[in-house]
Amino acid sequence: MQRMGTDDAREAEHQLSIADSDGYTSGPLSGPLNKRARFNLPEAAPVRDDQMYVEITLDVRDGSMGVHSVKAAHDGECEDPEVTLLKKKTLEKKASFGSTAIKSASSRIRQVSHELRRLASMTKKPSPGVMDRSRSAAAHALLGLKFISKTDGSAGWPAIEKRFDELGVDGGLPRALFGQCIGMKESKEFAGELFDGLARKRNIIGNSITKSELREFWDQISDPSFDSRLQTFFDMVDKNADGRINEEEVKEIILVSASANKLSKIQEQAEEYARLIMEELDPNNLGYVEIYNLETLLLQAPNQTATARGGGTGNSRNLSHMLSQKLKPTLEPNPMKRYYQRGRYFMEDNWKRSWVLALWLFICAALFTWKFIQYRRRAVYHIMGYCVCTAKGAAETLKFNMALILLPVCRNTITWLRNKTKLSLIVPFDDNLNFHKVIAAGIAVGVAVHGIVHLTCDFPRLLQASDQEYIPMKPYFGETRPDNFWWFVKGTEGWTGIIMVILMFIAFTLAMPWFRRGRLNLPGPFRRLTGFNAFWYSHHLFVIVYGLLFVHGFFLYLTHHWYKKTTWMYLSVPVILYGSERLIRALRSSVRPVRILKVAVYPGNVLALHVSKPHSFKYRSGQYMFVNCAAVSPFEWHPFSITSAPQDDYLSVHIRTLGDWTRQLRAVFSEVCQPPTGGKSGLLRADYDHRANSPYPNFPRVLIDGPYGAPAQDYEKYEVVLLVGLGIGATPFISILKDIVNNMKLLDSEHTPKTSTTNHRGSRSFKTRRAYFYWVTREQGSFDWFKGVMNEVAEADKKNAIELHNYCTSVYEEGDARSALIAMLQSLNHAKHGVDVVSGTRVKSHFARPDWRHVYKRIALAHRDQRIGVFYCGAAGLTKELHQLALDFSRKTSTKFDFHKENF
């Protein structure tokens, strides 16, 4: 016992220099204060090339030792969450001379971890408040509390200096411009608190700092050491600089953090949340917390944010690393092989579209050629030449396309074909509207060629023909040769053609995205030319166009026999089919009266309508229906995804205010809604009392029509699905999530003697067994839209078949100092109450935007050799990225991803 101190000291000094059984050797680490050591990572560990070293600074004094700081050996910060780092600040006291102490710690370098644990085991009793920096916590610490982006660092000073010169006033930088100067332009209030904390530490009085003082501020907030960042954050919260934080100071920083992240609900409950933090960090009711208490909360082992309910994938890191290497783009050196590979990939991904477009182009070309040759053999060719052949060829393709363009918008027919036939295996029904637009482009080309050639070529030739040349034309144009263009204009063929061109020009122009989506900022009188209403009503000008087209096709200059006038032959069937569909909509909506059961107006300008479900209304999750409200417009019908499940006894839609019609609809229903009561969600709401059977008399009348097929309904074909919704784009997937849970319950019940028969289809045909749902939204209030559904799914999904991921993009990414307190609060509240402070649901929210490549990578590792259905609904900006990732992973891994984009 007497020799224990000296022997243990020598042993401790020796332990960090010996080689272990794996052949890893580190240099001796004992010595003076702040001795630095560098550990080389073994080759077996798959790490980044720029992170091959970890620098650990130790404090050794008076027979005690501790880890002062840990950071990557290069100048930047370590950003890889899988790299394990060790860090410890507080020196541990020894019971006897020479005994070394270090609390249990680990790192990705197992060998160093073993040696440090052996030293830690010699500690008899750890001092109170010392944090056990586990492997994940240490890594999390070095990634957290960043005041600047990883691309700035100390190297960012020249840019800061330049902004100081631009923003400075009388040689100083005002406090109000500090955030803009350091890159926190959108977080001025948070930047102001940071300014005050840094100024207090340096006894700077006033609201302005010099360039040299700004350089000191910048050096501190850009310091990669976690200790420095922790101290900076603590100083910012510690308003009176007494080294302690009280509840009022916690509340103030919660308000500032919530404001920076646009979390209004957290601001409203700041006092409650401040009390929660104090209860956690001040269990002895001292009335304050110190820096090590804050450190304890910050370094709690973080949940794996990449994995929600349902746990991780269970795949090895080596496999993950190999997959990352495999996905790195490589350029084929042989240009012929490269072009062949690109062509093969294109055909694999677009073969359905390709053959349909090829068939369409072939038919157009064949019709043009047929009519061209026909007129090449007629007498009129000798006067008008190839001009009349070209004009008539264009007219033939125009008649065909005017008939064909109606078929992609016959929604009932398309829904029946995709549900009742196998044509969906070869026909891309999901692209019906895109094909509609392609045909419209073909019509525009046909009209231009037909009209321009007539006006600039064959009509002038006829006017300039000699009397002898005109003799064969008398049966077609009369005994007297036309002497000017007015002769052609005043004829039935002329004025009908001109009116059709004008109406089609108006309809095509207002259907352009700039007009239809209201992107143009026109002067006051012309604003009615933009928006969905202008598109809707202008498109109905085609009713007149088709009527004139029949007339135009009957009164032809060069064709007199009725059986040779083919316009009516092209148009009759499509027009009758489309007219029947519109008639069916009118009849079906009138014989299917619905009652409004509930109305709720949510934050984010979203209106939720719950209506009674007609007995004959059968649908699948992912489908949509049309809604009409005569109080807004008696003629307009708008499509919306159905958010209720097929097993529900009601129908629901969630409508976001994005245009003039939805804006008026929200205003109409807001007038009859009342503030929510009894803890119910919804900014304004009104409910129908079934038992009293007394609907609100002021409810506007609503008609519905549907259901109609959509890409999302095909989720049933896949055992594993990835559902991605942006904002209101989550609507089709809400129904799908409920449907999956209901079918899971039904599958379980089928193992009992009494089998339920209430399902809309046999549960044995239901293939989906695993779903990943990612909902990305900008506003915290958006989570109120489907709060009840999210909680219901989280509670009912006993088998963890569904992973729910909520992302709030207004919150700064995890690790940013502006969201650090929100992350702490989130962990505490979810652990204590099971409710997320951001979403208000049982599903824990993520910050910023998802790393979509990592999302695909996780699923590919978890479901090798399987086919995954990827369904996306939202803004077009993300479509290309998600589709390209699906292609990349399908080509380079054994997991195949089928991408589907929701399209109304």
Side-chain angles (χ1 to χ4, degrees), residues 372-387:
F372 186 96
I373 295 174
Q374 187 183 85
Y375 273 82
R376 172 68 177 79
R377 296 172 179 172
R378 295 184 62 173
V380 70
Y381 168 76
H382 300 290
I383 295 179
M384 298 184 178
Y386 287 110
C387 298

Side-chain angles (χ1 to χ4, degrees), residues 327-340:
L327 289 171
K328 287 184 177 179
T330 55
L331 183 65
E332 171 61 50
N334 189 324
M336 296 300 295
K337 290 184 178 180
R338 186 164 64 246
Y339 294 139
Y340 168 76

Side-chain angles (χ1 to χ4, degrees), residues 25-43:
T25 306
S26 64
L29 298 183
S30 63
L33 181 66
N34 292 344
K35 187 72 175 180
R36 289 190 173 183
R38 183 170 290 178
F39 298 92
N40 192 1
L41 298 180
E43 296 181 359

Side-chain angles (χ1 to χ4, degrees), residues 364-378 380-381 385-397 449 453:
C364 290
L367 290 173
F368 182 91
T369 304
W370 170 63
K371 191 58 68 172
F372 186 96
I373 295 174
Q374 187 183 85
Y375 273 82
R376 172 68 177 79
R377 296 172 179 172
R378 295 184 62 173
V380 70
Y381 168 76
Y386 287 110
C387 298
V388 69
C389 300
T390 303
K392 289 299 181 179
E396 201 69 17
T397 63
V449 173
V453 171

Side-chain angles (χ1 to χ4, degrees), residues 58-80:
L58 302 178
D59 283 342
V60 182
R61 77 163 69 90
D62 299 330
S64 61
M65 179 175 68
V67 181
H68 179 269
S69 67
V70 182
K71 62 182 178 179
H74 57 84
D75 293 335
E77 292 188 60
C78 174
E79 298 297 337
D80 188 350

